[in-house]
Amino acid sequence: MRPDTPADHIAEAERLLRTAERYPEDNEQLLLQAAAHFELADERARATTIYDRLLAAGPSNPYRVKALQAANLWEYGHEAEARALIDGIRAAAPREAAPWEIIAETLECHDELQAADECFTEGAHLLIHADEPITYAAHALLTGRHRVRRLAGTPHDEWDMVADTHHTGPIPLDELHDPKRVWALGSDNPAELRAEIARLRAELGERRAALSRPFPVAVLHWPTEELTELVTAYPSLTTEYPSHEAHLTQIETALRELAASGTPNLGIVTGSVPSYEAFAASEKTSPESTTLLAEYATTLAARGKATPWPPERSDVCWCGSGRIYKDCHGSPTHA
């Protein structure tokens, strides 16, 4: 049952903490979920303890954890510490969307619209490249940027127009982000209230659609040694994987096609033969089933094992070659 009261959230957070002790490989994701439940229960000091624990352990995404820590601290009176964390994140300029989105929304929640606009803009500059399609994560930054600029009465610029163009909901962004909507909620006019309810329903529908896919759409990647072991043990899978080079090309091609079709939140999960065989046994299915491969990828993604795709052009390629992405599978002519 979904938690609805502070007591429910505390119970769920404590359950997640116990689960994290049992499954250390998923520790980070489980602790982040526990911290979120403590925040919803207004147990912000306990959430801070979890963020401190994660940062001390060296999380895979330290700037995201620091951003969440800043948002939490500000909410229970530690504004100076929160600001220091936000300033540190901005100075570090991480090349990932989540920290920028979190700190910008934190500033927005405290009516610091100009600073929020600056954070959204700084993050967008780092993630958007002229010769590449705009990713789902970068579009989320542009949407947030559009919102705070609309609230502040800042004139539209080129990126606001891009946000409008990429928006797929039935209600235009200018309407969704219209400050007058707040006034409409206090109106005595039934027609105005009905119109605002329709807008809110549309906005809620978009949010639910995003939340319905909390994990990336993941494509399965086998390192060279693992793929060799897999097809040696299960020769029928050579039809699926004729060679390692073909396998890598197929991954990049599939992800580019998904991105071109508008599919958001793409990622890559790396398989291992022992893990795959254990999964097959748990599903009471033969490892030679090609259907099982997709289910295995989805399960790994649900456990927080996915690496977001595409990498930044100057980051190391996902394939394990050691070369930077733009000179490897990120080359426009590769896939």
Side-chain angles (χ1 to χ4, degrees):
M1 183 174 68
R2 188 179 69 182
D4 289 312
T5 69
D8 291 333
H9 283 295
I10 291 172
E12 180 64 11
E14 291 174 344
R15 184 192 69 80
L16 288 163
L17 290 175
R18 292 192 298 271
T19 304
E21 294 296 330
R22 292 166 51 201
Y23 299 99
E25 70 275 15
D26 298 329
N27 183 276
E28 185 175 327
Q29 292 297 323
L30 293 167
L31 290 180
L32 285 174
Q33 292 176 45
H37 281 289
F38 278 134
E39 289 185 19
L40 290 168
D42 206 27
E43 291 282 340
R44 294 191 174 274
R46 296 185 72 177
T48 289
T49 300
I50 292 177
Y51 293 132
D52 287 340
R53 174 179 167 185
L54 281 166
L55 290 170
S60 61
N61 192 331
Y63 296 112
R64 178 188 176 200
V65 177
K66 288 180 179 180
L68 291 168
Q69 173 77 300
N72 179 57
L73 285 168
W74 202 327
E75 286 301 317
Y76 77 110
H78 296 267
E79 179 182 337
E81 191 174 349
R83 286 184 181 278
L85 284 168
I86 289 172
D87 290 343
I89 292 167
R90 293 179 70 177
R95 292 181 176 274
E96 50 199 336
W100 292 107
E101 190 169 7
I102 294 165
I103 63 174
E105 289 181 352
T106 299
L107 291 163
E108 179 186 357
C109 286
H110 294 277
D111 296 323
E112 300 203 9
L113 299 181
Q114 181 176 346
D117 181 1
E118 292 170 359
C119 286
F120 278 125
T121 302
E122 289 166 20
H125 271 296
L126 290 167
L127 268 73
I128 296 174
H129 306 282
D131 56 343
E132 295 180 3
I134 294 177
T135 64
Y136 179 76
H139 180 244
L141 291 179
L142 292 184
T143 300
R145 181 179 182 274
H146 184 289
R147 181 179 63 249
V148 298
R149 289 167 62 82
R150 188 80 167 87
L151 291 171
T154 307
H156 271 26
D157 62 8
E158 183 178 349
W159 271 356
D160 288 320
M161 300 302 291
V162 171
D164 283 327
T165 302
H166 281 73
H167 177 66
T168 58
I171 308 297
L173 280 185
D174 272 344
E175 285 190 46
L176 287 176
H177 297 160
D178 187 350
K180 293 180 181 179
R181 294 178 59 197
V182 179
W183 307 338
L185 290 172
S187 173
D188 293 328
N189 185 329
E192 288 184 358
L193 288 172
R194 281 194 295 270
E196 183 56 25
I197 288 169
R199 295 188 187 101
L200 289 171
R201 281 177 173 166
E203 196 170 28
L204 180 60
E206 286 187 48
R207 181 64 176 163
R208 282 177 173 167
L211 291 175
S212 69
R213 187 180 291 151
F215 306 109
V217 175
V219 176
L220 183 59
H221 165 230
W222 297 98
T224 306
E225 297 79 5
E226 296 292 338
L227 186 60
T228 299
E229 183 179 345
L230 181 73
V231 297
T232 299
Y234 308 105
S236 66
L237 291 180
T238 53
T239 303
E240 185 77 12
Y241 303 117
S243 71
H244 191 254
E245 183 179 355
H247 168 52
L248 298 181
T249 299
Q250 184 182 32
I251 291 172
E252 184 71 23
T253 300
L255 288 166
R256 291 190 190 187
E257 289 175 352
L258 287 166
S261 70
T263 303
N265 210 17
L266 300 172
I268 296 174
V269 289
T270 300
S272 72
V273 174
S275 167
Y276 179 60
E277 289 175 334
F279 178 72
S282 70
E283 295 293 311
K284 298 181 175 58
T285 304
S286 168
E288 295 186 85
S289 168
T290 55
T291 302
L292 189 69
L293 293 166
E295 295 174 3
Y296 176 55
T298 300
T299 300
L300 290 177
R303 293 175 59 197
K305 302 296 186 182
T307 300
W309 179 94
E312 294 295 326
R313 285 172 57 80
S314 57
D315 287 350
V316 175
C317 187
W318 56 264
C319 72
S321 66
R323 291 180 291 169
I324 60 174
Y325 180 61
K326 68 178 181 180
D327 294 332
C328 192
H329 285 85
S331 168
T333 60
H334 189 95

